[in-house]
Amino acid sequence: MITETDVAQLLRDSGQLLEDWDAGTELALDSLTFVWLVHLLDERHGIVVGPEDEDELAASDTIGSLHRNLVRLLPDGAGGASAASGTEARHAS
């Protein structure tokens, strides 16, 4: 299971400057940030991003779309409550 909060933390740890965010917060992932994000997904959440999934993930333009794309990669489709409900809460770090 991975939540939008987990995704935001991974993005921060990958070098994205996020303070206040919600599912609609826009992303601009450069190649180095993307590679580090993929590494952290595997290391911390056991989510392996295969070559066939990289383009879709890299094209994610918001935290919410990145989260939805990651949920699709999970074997059981479990992505947390925000994925199921579609709610958009605003978060501050």
Side-chain angles (χ1 to χ4, degrees):
M1 175 168 67
I2 189 167
T3 65
E4 286 180 353
T5 301
D6 295 329
V7 171
Q9 186 60 52
L10 290 169
L11 289 166
R12 275 190 217 97
D13 294 346
S14 298
Q16 291 288 305
L17 301 176
L18 296 175
E19 291 185 22
D20 292 339
W21 64 270
D22 61 27
T25 299
E26 292 185 13
L27 298 176
L29 301 176
D30 61 37
S31 58
L32 181 59
T33 301
F34 182 75
V35 168
W36 191 243
L37 175 64
V38 168
H39 167 74
L40 291 176
L41 284 166
D42 184 19
E43 184 178 87
R44 296 184 186 173
H45 296 277
I47 299 173
V48 177
V49 178
E52 66 278 3
D53 300 313
E54 288 180 358
D55 288 340
E56 184 176 3
L57 232 84
S60 301
D61 59 354
T62 64
I63 290 178
S65 67
L66 178 58
H67 178 247
R68 284 187 300 278
N69 289 330
L70 288 170
V71 168
R72 286 187 214 131
L73 295 179
L74 296 175
D76 60 1
S82 62
S85 67
T87 59
E88 290 187 22
R90 186 127 190 104
H91 305 274
S93 52

